[in-house]
Amino acid sequence: MDLLSEDESIFQAALAEAVRSGASGERQLLDALGSVQDEDQAAGIVSALGEAEGPGGVAALREIIAETDDPLEIRTTAVVALTKRQGVEASDVLRAGLTDEDPDLPGYALMGLAGTGDDRAWSDVLEWLRLFLDSQEPDPEHDFEDRVLVAQSDVVAAVAYLARHSVSDGERQQVVVALLRSRWNRLRGAEQRWLTAHWPAGDPAQPESFTRLDATWFADWISMPLFAALYLD
């Protein structure tokens, strides 16, 4: 296995072999991460740690996320990898990521929370959504694509998380619905269409009582394909 090979096919095969090799493979990934110079290769190794098994990978991923001087690609890849590796147990790191100084990292944290996070970040995500929408100016000329909305919109990740942890709590639903209805014109068209289909109460044109929340669907939709397995069948 050559985790430092410049040949992409050899490198990818080495990553897959390391993931399949259990604790010894994880150790090789961690050793290679300490030696690699190429940022893309480093990101690949970090990604593989999300599917590896062993005693050191989780701590390493948490350290990478906490190191704000590391390149953004490495840190965001580590967020995805830690979410895949720990699931709900990564909730503390994902929650902290909402206020990260790099403006691109919170979006990855939101997707992790929406897919697997527990409800400890509910108030934090609600406040993030409020501040984000308040900072947005209506821009009807700039829309997202419906088919790749999950990759384009941090708003839908936030709403998916809030919805997932509001299914059995009517008061929480009312708070989110009121926020969405009051700032509807700040959403992109694709976001409005998504909400009308999956949480119609948020659409001012629909009755506020029109609730349709499927917690499992929200989690599965937000998790694919970002958190899909890359190295394991």
Side-chain angles (χ1 to χ4, degrees):
M1 146 184 346
D2 188 354
L3 289 167
L4 299 179
S5 174
E6 295 182 2
D7 184 296
E8 182 65 16
S9 61
I10 294 175
F11 175 64
Q12 291 297 327
L15 292 178
E17 183 180 349
V19 169
R20 292 192 296 266
S21 298
S24 63
E26 183 193 73
R27 182 69 262 163
Q28 291 174 307
L29 289 169
L30 292 172
D31 289 344
L33 187 60
S35 304
V36 69
Q37 299 297 315
D38 182 83
E39 188 173 312
D40 289 339
Q41 281 192 311
I45 293 170
V46 170
S47 178
L49 285 171
E51 297 177 39
E53 294 182 0
V58 167
L61 291 171
R62 285 174 168 262
E63 289 176 8
I64 291 169
I65 297 167
E67 184 49 71
T68 57
D69 290 335
D70 279 356
L72 175 64
E73 180 184 3
I74 306 300
R75 296 183 68 223
T76 55
T77 301
V79 170
V80 175
L82 184 69
T83 303
K84 291 167 68 172
R85 182 81 178 253
Q86 282 203 294
V88 68
E89 294 179 9
S91 296
D92 60 321
V93 173
L94 299 173
R95 181 183 184 184
L98 296 174
T99 56
D100 194 85
E101 61 185 38
D102 193 303
D104 290 324
L105 193 135
Y108 288 84
L110 284 166
M111 293 186 74
L113 285 167
T116 66
D118 61 30
D119 75 340
R120 286 177 292 173
W122 200 88
S123 295
D124 303 88
V125 173
L126 180 68
E127 182 62 14
W128 179 93
L129 181 59
R130 186 191 315 279
L131 293 173
F132 183 84
L133 292 178
D134 284 347
S135 70
Q136 296 293 101
E137 293 294 334
D139 185 6
E141 300 301 319
H142 179 200
D143 198 2
F144 294 137
E145 294 185 39
D146 294 83
R147 63 185 181 85
V148 289
L149 181 62
V150 67
Q152 293 183 310
S153 172
D154 293 342
V155 167
V156 297
V159 172
Y161 171 80
L162 294 170
R164 194 163 65 82
H165 292 293
S166 299
V167 171
S168 59
D169 190 325
E171 291 186 4
R172 280 187 170 186
Q173 289 183 32
Q174 290 175 5
V175 171
V176 183
V177 165
L179 175 63
L180 294 171
R181 292 171 78 93
S182 67
R183 291 159 176 80
W184 187 255
N185 68 332
R186 296 175 183 268
L187 299 171
R188 305 300 186 201
E191 293 168 338
Q192 293 177 347
R193 293 188 291 274
W194 182 85
L195 277 165
T196 299
H198 302 294
W199 195 353
D203 181 349
Q206 303 292 335
E208 289 187 49
S209 59
F210 193 178
T211 297
R212 182 193 301 145
L213 298 179
D214 182 338
T216 300
W217 182 89
F218 278 117
D220 290 347
W221 180 81
I222 208 76
S223 295
M224 295 294 291
L226 186 61
F227 299 104
L230 298 175
Y231 306 103
L232 296 173
D233 296 330

